Amino acid sequence: MEATVYDEQLAETIVLSDEGRNKTAFWIRLLCDCLSGKRSFDPIDVMENVIPLFDPSFNYRVLETWEWRWGELLPAFYNAESNEIVIRQDVYDGAIRMNPLDVITVAHEVVHCIQSIMLRFLRAIDCVDFTTELCRANSKELEHHEIQTDVITALVLFPDQLVKGLSKEEIERKYFIDPLMQLLCGIIRMAGSKLLEFLDNMQTMKEVERCAV
């Protein structure tokens, strides 16, 4: 879950539609499978080897049980401010042994981190409609974000739900064609905006040069 220890911290979270959650889960699973070479989602491997490829600023810490000061009910958390996942040692060891509960716990925090990366990426290229909300610990907004993360985590761990009952063409149309077109449109819009800005600056420079003659 999100770090409830930072009670006064305001965190910005990404808010997706049901369709957006499905697409997010599909692409998380697809990219992680391709980069890790594994057929199952291993959150420890993704945390240690995949996320750093996208975000070099990311870090994680594993603390011994005697060092853990957040209680039994918070075995791991993602701190968006420092961009790090903090995990209790027994949970980390359990996830390595593929203990289901520990795998789910670490996977949830990994998805939090990936959502943070997505927020920056989507804002940069402006290609997918989404909203954000500012939330504090124990707020309704944070509860909304936690539920969204739980849904995405479940879909990442059990991706068969993403394609159940769909033909190959429907899968391609739902997860491949549409996002790629959105990405292309976003890049075109961004490039067009930069071009107009450049032309406007050029016109301003011409006016300055004309007045200086």
Side-chain angles (χ1 to χ4, degrees), residues 37-56:
K38 297 187 177 183
R39 299 302 298 170
S40 60
F41 186 82
D42 180 350
I44 296 292
D45 181 64
V46 171
M47 180 180 70
E48 294 180 342
N49 301 309
V50 177
I51 292 177
L53 295 175
F54 292 97
D55 188 355

Side-chain angles (χ1 to χ4, degrees), residues 11-183:
E12 190 173 29
T13 62
I14 188 169
V15 183
L16 299 163
S17 64
D18 290 347
E19 185 71 14
R21 288 196 295 265
N22 285 358
K23 287 181 178 179
T24 299
F26 183 89
W27 282 95
I28 287 174
R29 184 57 191 266
L30 181 66
L31 290 172
C32 289
D33 283 2
C34 291
L35 292 170
S36 68
K38 297 187 177 183
R39 299 302 298 170
S40 60
F41 186 82
D42 180 350
I44 296 292
D45 181 64
V46 171
M47 180 180 70
E48 294 180 342
N49 301 309
V50 177
I51 292 177
L53 295 175
F54 292 97
D55 188 355
S57 70
F58 169 74
N59 187 35
Y60 75 94
R61 288 187 290 148
V62 180
L63 300 180
E64 296 285 354
T65 303
W66 63 268
E67 296 180 278
W68 195 258
R69 57 188 178 88
W70 293 284
E72 288 291 321
L73 296 180
L74 186 66
F77 61 86
Y78 172 65
N79 180 8
E81 187 175 32
S82 60
N83 193 25
E84 70 173 353
I85 292 174
V86 184
I87 309 171
R88 203 171 62 214
Q89 182 72 60
D90 60 306
V91 175
Y92 178 84
D93 294 341
I96 290 178
R97 295 193 300 268
M98 299 305 289
N99 177 282
L101 182 58
D102 294 326
V103 167
I104 291 171
T105 297
V106 178
H108 180 96
E109 306 311 328
V110 166
V111 169
H112 267 312
C113 180
I114 294 175
Q115 284 180 289
S116 178
I117 295 172
M118 282 186 55
L119 177 61
R120 298 194 297 273
F121 175 74
L122 293 177
R123 177 173 286 134
I125 64 176
D126 187 30
C127 68
V128 175
D129 291 331
F130 69 98
T131 59
T132 62
E133 49 188 31
L134 289 172
C135 62
R136 294 183 185 274
N138 303 318
S139 66
K140 289 183 179 180
E141 290 82 8
L142 182 59
E143 182 180 353
H144 177 191
H145 181 62
E146 287 297 328
I147 292 171
Q148 173 179 281
T149 303
D150 282 339
V151 171
I152 294 173
T153 302
L155 291 171
V156 167
L157 291 170
F158 306 102
D160 56 311
Q161 296 299 313
L162 293 167
V163 297
K164 187 176 182 180
L166 299 177
S167 67
K168 180 181 177 181
E169 291 75 18
E170 288 171 329
I171 293 171
E172 290 177 348
R173 185 164 58 249
K174 183 173 183 178
Y175 294 118
F176 287 93
I177 298 174
D178 289 349
L180 288 175
M181 287 302 295
Q182 290 174 344
L183 176 61

